Amino acid sequence: GGDGGMVETSGKQTLGVAHGRVDARAPAGRTGTWLLDPTNITLAGGTGATPDTVYEDALEAAGANQIINASGTITASGTFSGGDVTMPAGLSLTLNGDAGIDLTTSTHGTALALKTFGASGTIALNTVSGAINAGTLKAAGGAVSLVAGGTGTLQVRDITTNPLTDGPGGAITLQSGGAMTLGAAGSHIDARGTGIGATSGNVTITSGGAVTMQSSQNIYANDLQISAAGGITDSANSLL
């Protein structure tokens, strides 16, 4: 038994994924990857058949790690069941939107959540020169990485990597060329492990601008490193 392979779905300008299912799992090896490669892409709630749109049902029934590459932007729209996208256990979700990623544009606004499960269930959001704007990212035991390239800004409200069963928390890496804003009321950056003596994940925050922490937000980590060219402040603009 080997590993699962890679399946690529591309379109020169537009791309349609309607009720598509790709199964790249391997009974005795690592799960393969499904790569979607449009110009601009919308993550939409429910089910449908609209060009340049990946629907919630296709992601949640995936049989492969998902990589969505957009040379333009990635946005969200519509209403999602439960207000989230929940990947099957052990599968990762990677969004690469060169010009920007904004996951706050659905009917759920900043409450939309991306969820994965297991150490291999990672979440990654990457841009080349655009901003990243996200609500909630929950990787139960997996790592979370957000990289806003160029002068891109980064804003995220809630990140947790606590596993559902006993085990270490996943690492959290946040990087932006521009300013970074972290948190919202009642939300945290939380890489704690689960169970007695479980190790927390490391949290690394690097910003080419200022890092602003919302009031009453906590960061839970084994090792916390913060580097901000523009300083670190709370939401009242006080130096932390």
Side-chain angles (χ1 to χ4, degrees):
D3 298 332
M6 171 176 278
V7 178
E8 181 174 354
T9 306
S10 298
K12 183 177 180 181
Q13 291 183 327
T14 62
L15 175 68
V17 178
H19 314 296
R21 300 290 186 272
V22 170
D23 193 337
R25 289 170 289 192
R30 292 176 295 182
T31 300
T33 299
W34 183 14
L35 171 65
L36 302 173
D37 193 10
T39 300
N40 298 306
I41 198 76
T42 299
L43 305 183
T47 183
T50 304
D52 297 330
T53 302
V54 176
Y55 283 88
E56 173 189 3
D57 69 326
L59 290 172
E60 295 187 341
N65 298 311
Q66 301 289 294
I67 300 176
I68 299 176
N69 287 340
S71 57
T73 60
I74 298 175
T75 56
S77 72
T79 300
F80 292 75
S81 177
D84 60 54
V85 174
T86 301
M87 294 291 293
L91 298 186
S92 64
L93 178 60
T94 300
L95 305 180
N96 299 320
D98 290 358
I101 298 173
D102 191 349
L103 301 181
T104 69
T105 52
S106 74
T107 58
H108 306 281
T110 59
L112 181 65
L114 302 183
K115 297 181 179 181
T116 60
F117 300 92
S120 59
T122 60
I123 298 174
L125 278 59
N126 304 295
T127 70
V128 172
S129 59
I132 294 176
N133 190 5
T136 296
L137 307 175
K138 293 182 177 291
V144 172
S145 173
L146 278 64
V147 178
T151 58
T153 59
L154 189 158
Q155 183 168 13
V156 62
R157 281 80 181 170
D158 187 18
I159 303 177
T160 59
T161 59
N162 325 122
L164 297 181
T165 57
D166 289 0
I172 298 173
T173 302
L174 306 176
Q175 180 178 332
S176 65
M180 186 183 301
T181 303
L182 304 177
S187 300
H188 305 288
I189 306 298
D190 190 349
R192 287 178 291 185
T194 299
I196 298 174
T199 303
S200 298
N202 295 332
V203 175
T204 304
I205 299 172
T206 307
S207 174
V211 172
T212 300
M213 302 286 297
Q214 298 302 309
S215 295
S216 302
Q217 186 193 36
N218 295 321
I219 298 178
Y220 300 96
N222 177 46
D223 179 65
L224 172 62
Q225 298 185 26
I226 303 179
S227 174
I232 306 169
T233 63
D234 64 14
S235 59
N237 295 319
S238 299
L239 183 65
L240 296 178

